[in-house]
Amino acid sequence: ITSSCPNKCRHCYEQHNLQKNTVVSVEKWIDIIHWLQQYGTNIIILTGGEPLPRFNDLLKILKAGDKNLSDFHLHTSGNSLTMEKALMLKEAGLKAAAVGFDDHDPARFEIIRQKGMYDHALNALRIFNEAGIMTYVNLCATKELIHSGSLYEYYDFVKVLNVSFIQLLEPRPCGGYLFDNRAAILN
């Protein structure tokens, strides 16, 4: 719902679209959601950029959707999430939230995302769970994580965090990996 993002994630597929100041109105998003629901879309994911800075618009969009027709999910880094915001999102109809969590090792995580983001992600998972919103993680599996032999450790780590599932994303030659990080692509 936004092309703005305060983060600088190495692998971001939207990297070349961020900060373009492209703003689609709330009314247009609501029209799009109603259209999607007419055609039977059962899960609608709100993402960006980082959608949380557009919090009031996010609430309006969620409230406008028919929760009997679609479940609403949010994809976020967790940056700026508070318990108050999580409870408001739940009340507006948010069913699930995915937090970008690319490694259970803080040092490797912060190479991918940026310094300080590991704690934001952990905190967001805790807050969403405490608010009664189903959580899952988006994992862009790097060669470093796979070759470290700790993929099962990652699984055990997020399981303890009450994560419902892992959405495994493979690095692709787009966004941050389009030119500079071709070595990151799995083979």
Side-chain angles (χ1 to χ4, degrees):
I1 64 166
T2 180
S3 66
S4 295
C5 186
N7 307 317
K8 306 267 187 280
C9 302
R10 183 171 98 179
H11 64 283
C12 180
Y13 65 91
E14 284 291 329
Q15 191 176 84
H16 303 291
N17 296 321
L18 294 176
Q19 318 314 346
K20 301 284 188 198
N21 295 324
T22 304
V23 177
V24 177
S25 71
V26 172
E27 294 74 22
K28 183 66 174 173
W29 282 121
I30 290 170
D31 288 345
I32 291 168
I33 286 169
H34 290 159
W35 181 84
L36 289 169
Q37 290 186 313
Q38 287 175 350
Y39 285 94
T41 303
N42 60 357
I43 297 176
I44 296 174
I45 300 171
L46 304 172
T47 188
E50 172 56 60
L52 286 176
R54 201 171 168 189
F55 186 74
N56 290 332
D57 292 344
L58 187 58
L59 289 177
K60 290 175 189 172
I61 292 166
L62 281 168
K63 288 176 182 176
D66 187 336
K67 291 11 155 248
N68 293 317
L69 297 176
S70 307
D71 286 343
F72 287 83
H73 294 204
L74 176 69
H75 284 191
T76 180
S77 66
N79 193 1
S80 80
L81 182 70
T82 64
M83 179 58 79
E84 180 184 14
K85 287 180 179 179
L87 291 171
M88 292 170 73
L89 289 167
K90 181 176 177 159
E91 185 178 315
L94 185 66
K95 184 74 158 190
V99 175
F101 200 77
D102 298 305
D103 204 311
H104 66 292
D105 177 83
R108 286 192 309 238
F109 180 99
E110 291 187 349
I111 288 170
I112 297 164
R113 297 267 169 176
Q114 68 188 42
K115 191 102 174 113
M117 291 306 298
Y118 182 84
D119 291 335
H120 285 295
L122 281 179
N123 190 49
L125 289 168
R126 180 189 57 78
I127 289 172
F128 282 129
N129 279 316
E130 287 179 17
I133 297 168
M134 183 185 89
T135 58
Y136 58 102
V137 291
N138 286 327
L139 164 63
C140 186
T142 62
K143 284 184 179 178
E144 292 85 4
L145 176 64
I146 293 168
H147 291 294
S148 73
S150 61
L151 197 53
Y152 289 108
E153 290 173 21
Y154 176 92
Y155 168 79
D156 290 336
F157 186 85
V158 297
K159 185 177 180 182
V160 170
L161 297 173
N162 198 30
V163 166
S164 296
F165 67 90
I166 298 168
Q167 183 164 265
L168 185 61
L169 310 168
E170 66 178 277
R172 295 186 178 210
C174 65
Y177 290 149
L178 183 59
F179 301 113
D180 297 334
N181 293 304
R182 298 288 292 184
I185 308 304
L186 304 177
N187 53 29

